[in-house]
Amino acid sequence: MTVDRGRTALGKRLGRLAPGNLPGGRDGRRMLWVALVDRVGSGLWASTSVLYFTFVTRLTVGEIGALAAAAGLAGLVGPPVGGRLADRLPLTRVLIAFQLLRAVAAAGLLVTDGLVPLLALSAAGGFGDRAASVLTKLYASRVAGAERVRYQAVNRTVANAGWTVGGLGAAAVLAVGGETVYRVLLLGDALSFVAAALLTARCADVSAGTRVVTGGAEGEEGGEGGEEAERARPTGPWRDRTYLLYVLTDALLFLDDAVFRVGLPLWAVHATDAPHGAVPLLLVLNSAMVVGLQVPLARFGATTRAAHALLLPLSVVFTVSGVAMAASAVHGAVAAAVCLTVAAAGFTLAEMLHAIVSWELSIALAPDHAQGTYLGVHGLAQASQRAAGPLAVTAAIAAGPFGWGVFGVIIAGGSLAQHRLVRGRLPRAAEPAETEKGKAVVEQAPESVQRS
């Protein structure tokens, strides 16, 4: 009986991921293909970039660092510019333009080895990458409507799968060796952006149109209270103090990304007795958990208020993960490996919960008429942590076990602060009559949102 129930539950879960059951209809599925192709290409380049600049263009370590800095600084500008353009021009056309910019920047790296042009191309690539990320999120929020949280979960699962495929493909090809291999992988990255642009061109454009707030049935047509609140808001994100503070706290919560990119590998190798071979296994654990659990966890943040409530357990997870990292300094390979595994699992769980919260709140707190501009400003949270994140985790490493404990507590504090900060901006709970009105609003959504 238990086995049959398990099979039934598994069957239902797989059924939810069937193409016909995915949010967003046909255009939503096409955008998932865009995410997959994009991330496969990015996985190819991420595994190759340092080797390419070292052995093909013959750059020094300092010069390679300068390229990364140029891409990071330009990436700070990309989200606000992309979001503002999306509020004024057809979204798909703007997204295609940035995807083609990334393709040109990647292809340009193949034909030059001078530092100045490489800096310019790296900056262009970073600018286009962060802008395209925000525009993809904006399109998903419009095409998936009230199911945007579940769509985001599927999108993250697909993107992680793409990264894995790209990384494994690069590893297989790099085994051959030689400069030609590096050039082929870079060309594959450029072509992935062209393919993403072609797929995007097949997606119907979705205007801002009607607002769907998952915390209830209110929107532009959700009653006088919703309209008065909309009019009372600042005219843009740069004058919206609450939203700016929200972005600041979210940048703090995004630091979990730096843990896996920099912090955990360095800490495990230099400060613990865990075997060095455990490091790649911990990174695989991170990817496997995201692929396997992101979609099931999405149901816990299916409404705006539910996503907001997740900030409380998220603060606990961050605290426990920081303590586990500190405890991994214990003597003994087995004990250290166990503590690192708990820390990796904890930070991965925090990453997934924060992805649900951030996706929903960044959209729900933005007014209809400037959704792209607001999401562009929110994109600064993730873009800025790419620069500040490595500094934060290296500071934690330098401070020893105590530093990791403080690291976890500080991020947990940011989660609690965000919970209190946005509480007054959440949509009110819908009355039964308003729920019916909300259903009617969804039925009036663009055709591309409704069709499956």
Side-chain angles (χ1 to χ4, degrees):
M1 182 67 71
T2 303
V3 174
D4 290 339
R5 288 180 180 174
R7 289 175 178 173
T8 301
L10 178 60
K12 289 182 179 179
R13 183 174 297 177
L14 293 176
R16 295 191 192 103
L17 294 179
N21 293 327
L22 293 176
R26 184 179 303 168
D27 291 321
R29 294 195 295 272
R30 285 172 176 166
M31 196 53 67
L32 290 176
W33 278 106
V34 171
L36 178 65
V37 171
D38 184 316
R39 292 309 172 189
V40 168
S42 297
L44 290 174
W45 177 236
S47 305
T48 315
S49 57
V50 172
L51 297 174
Y52 179 87
F53 291 132
T54 300
F55 297 112
V56 178
T57 58
R58 310 294 179 183
L59 299 182
T60 65
V61 172
E63 290 171 336
I64 294 174
L67 296 185
L73 290 174
L76 291 173
V77 183
V81 173
R84 191 170 183 83
L85 289 174
D87 281 337
R88 288 160 174 73
L89 300 170
L91 176 55
T92 52
R93 295 182 186 177
V94 178
L95 179 54
I96 289 170
F98 280 109
Q99 287 165 337
L100 292 178
L101 172 63
R102 297 164 73 195
V104 170
L109 296 175
L110 287 168
V111 296
T112 183
D113 57 5
L115 181 59
V116 173
L118 287 175
L119 285 170
L121 291 168
S122 296
F127 175 79
D129 177 69
R130 301 319 306 158
S133 177
V134 167
L135 296 174
T136 302
K137 176 180 179 179
L138 178 59
Y139 187 91
S141 71
R142 292 179 181 177
V143 79
E147 292 191 279
R148 59 185 176 227
V149 173
R150 189 162 74 91
Y151 184 90
Q152 176 266 352
V154 176
N155 184 279
R156 288 199 80 232
T157 301
V158 170
N160 272 272
W163 268 103
T164 302
V165 171
L168 292 175
V173 176
L174 286 172
V176 178
E179 290 188 7
T180 301
V181 169
Y182 301 136
R183 295 183 185 277
V184 168
L185 291 173
L186 177 53
L187 179 61
D189 183 38
L191 291 177
S192 74
F193 299 139
V194 175
L198 293 175
L199 287 170
T200 303
R202 298 187 61 195
C203 295
D205 191 66
V206 184
S207 61
T210 303
R211 181 177 178 81
V212 180
V213 179
T214 62
E218 77 174 286
E220 287 185 350
E221 302 166 316
E224 295 181 1
E227 293 175 356
E228 291 175 1
E230 194 78 15
R231 286 195 295 267
R233 286 185 180 181
T235 56
W238 299 109
R239 296 183 179 181
D240 191 334
R241 182 180 177 184
T242 299
Y243 198 86
L244 289 177
L245 289 174
Y246 161 69
V247 171
L248 181 62
T249 58
D250 224 31
L252 190 63
L253 301 188
F254 271 117
L255 288 175
D256 60 79
D257 180 63
V259 171
F260 288 99
R261 288 193 297 114
V262 179
L264 190 147
L266 285 177
W267 176 257
V269 171
H270 294 287
T272 77
D273 292 336
H276 293 180
V279 173
L281 295 179
L282 294 175
L283 299 182
V284 169
L285 173 65
N286 170 258
S287 296
M289 286 183 64
V290 171
V291 171
L293 298 177
Q294 185 70 75
V295 174
L297 284 174
R299 72 177 185 271
F300 295 108
T303 68
T304 304
R305 289 190 175 276
H308 172 254
L310 284 177
L311 286 167
L312 296 179
L314 178 59
S315 65
V316 176
V317 175
F318 272 126
T319 301
V320 172
S321 302
V323 170
M325 283 286 278
S328 65
V330 67
H331 292 296
V334 174
V338 170
C339 290
L340 284 174
T341 301
V342 172
F347 277 117
T348 301
L349 178 59
E351 172 190 339
M352 293 186 288
L353 293 178
H354 176 234
I356 295 169
V357 175
S358 180
W359 177 279
E360 177 57 29
L361 292 185
S362 63
I363 297 168
L365 297 176
D368 293 343
H369 67 275
Q371 205 171 60
T373 304
Y374 269 71
L375 288 182
V377 172
H378 179 260
L380 291 173
Q382 192 167 16
S384 60
Q385 85 75 30
R386 286 174 176 257
L391 298 177
V393 294
T394 51
I397 293 172
F402 177 76
W404 279 112
V406 172
F407 180 86
V409 169
I410 289 176
I411 303 179
S415 182
L416 294 174
Q418 186 177 115
H419 182 272
R420 182 177 179 83
L421 173 70
V422 305
R423 187 167 51 192
R425 285 273 289 266
L426 298 180
R428 58 185 172 81
E431 299 294 333
E434 291 176 313
T435 303
E436 294 302 318
K437 182 184 288 187
K439 292 178 180 178
V441 168
V442 174
E443 290 173 359
Q444 296 169 9
E447 180 185 355
S448 59
V449 175
Q450 299 181 44
R451 67 170 177 249
S452 58

